[in-house]
Amino acid sequence: MLWRALMSGDIRSAFITLALSLPAIVLCLSVHETAHGGAAYLLGDRTARDSGRVTLSPMAHIDPIGFLCLLLFGFGWARPVPVNIANFRNRRWGMALTALAGPVSNFITAFIAYCLYFVVRMNMANTFLWSLSQFLLIVASMSVGLGVFNLVPVHPLDGSRVVDAFMPFSWSLKLQKYQNIIFFVFIAALWFGWLDGIMDWVGNGVLMLAVNFVSLFL
């Protein structure tokens, strides 16, 4: 991410990374939040749609702090999509599926970005195509990071909503009492890079799927 380029002292590399990362962040966050709103709508809740959140327009989704964190560190967040669980036939599963749609959309985006990257690399003949290939790599990397980050079962991340669907309601209430402790452990995990291995594993898995898919057409 950008902070690595800055720490290396390579100003040119940092500038290129910044120029390519900005549109990549906009794309990744917009896809993630649009997926939440679209899933909620398909499951019977029109709140996000009526609020103008079922759109790829970044102006509807971007949170400045979350945007900056994703730019600097590779993980961040956008403005939460409004959801009214009372509109779901099954409130817990409706909320879980709506939450899960965000990370799943990021993994799909990463897969598509890797596939396009390989296609571009095979036909790379100028500076524009080189820049495009680097942009696609950043999109893939950020998408994987955003997907894994949001699947962590810590409130208010998407993973906590998914886990709630499999957990007895009484357990969910007990777990909420320890959310502050769980949150600080989560921050420590991010600080010390404990999630890096998981992100690398998921990223490599998506990468291999893309390689195998593209190879079918070669």
Side-chain angles (χ1 to χ4, degrees):
M1 292 302 105
L2 180 60
W3 72 271
R4 292 177 180 173
L6 291 172
M7 291 297 292
S8 69
D10 189 341
I11 303 301
R12 181 176 180 274
S13 176
F15 177 78
I16 293 174
T17 300
L18 176 62
L20 296 175
S21 296
L22 290 176
I25 293 170
V26 168
L27 175 62
C28 295
L29 290 177
S30 297
V31 168
H32 182 98
E33 298 304 324
T34 300
H36 282 317
Y41 175 72
L42 291 175
L43 291 167
D45 178 30
R46 298 175 56 93
T47 307
R49 182 180 178 180
D50 293 343
S51 301
R53 299 299 301 277
V54 185
T55 173
L56 288 175
S57 172
M59 300 305 295
H61 306 298
I62 298 301
D63 175 274
I65 302 301
F67 182 94
L68 183 62
C69 286
L70 189 57
L71 175 64
L72 293 174
F73 308 114
F75 57 87
W77 58 91
R79 291 171 52 212
V81 169
V83 175
N84 185 350
I85 63 173
N87 292 324
F88 296 137
R89 291 183 179 179
N90 185 306
R91 295 186 178 187
R92 299 186 73 188
W93 282 106
M95 192 67 245
L97 292 174
T98 297
L100 188 61
V104 169
S105 72
N106 290 131
F107 297 140
I108 293 174
T109 300
F111 172 78
I112 294 173
Y114 276 134
C115 288
L116 293 176
Y117 167 78
F118 291 123
V119 172
V120 171
R121 289 288 295 183
M122 288 185 291
N123 299 279
M124 193 164 60
N126 53 52
T127 303
F128 170 76
L129 290 178
W130 178 86
S131 299
L132 179 59
S133 70
Q134 298 307 300
F135 168 74
L136 291 169
L137 277 182
I138 293 174
V139 168
S141 176
M142 284 188 173
S143 293
V144 169
L146 192 61
V148 172
F149 172 77
N150 277 280
L151 280 178
V152 175
V154 176
H155 185 77
L157 300 180
D158 299 328
S160 64
R161 307 295 187 185
V162 177
V163 170
D164 280 346
F166 295 92
M167 188 180 298
F169 185 69
S170 59
W171 291 16
S172 297
L173 291 177
K174 292 179 180 179
L175 190 61
Q176 289 178 12
K177 298 178 181 179
Y178 302 99
Q179 282 298 322
N180 290 337
I181 297 175
I182 295 173
F183 180 76
F184 283 116
V185 171
F186 172 61
I187 294 300
L190 291 176
W191 180 261
F192 292 107
W194 296 342
L195 294 180
D196 290 352
I198 298 176
M199 291 185 182
D200 290 342
W201 181 78
V202 174
N204 289 334
V206 176
L207 175 62
M208 292 308 301
L209 285 175
V211 169
N212 293 331
F213 180 78
V214 172
S215 66
L216 294 175
F217 301 93
L218 299 179

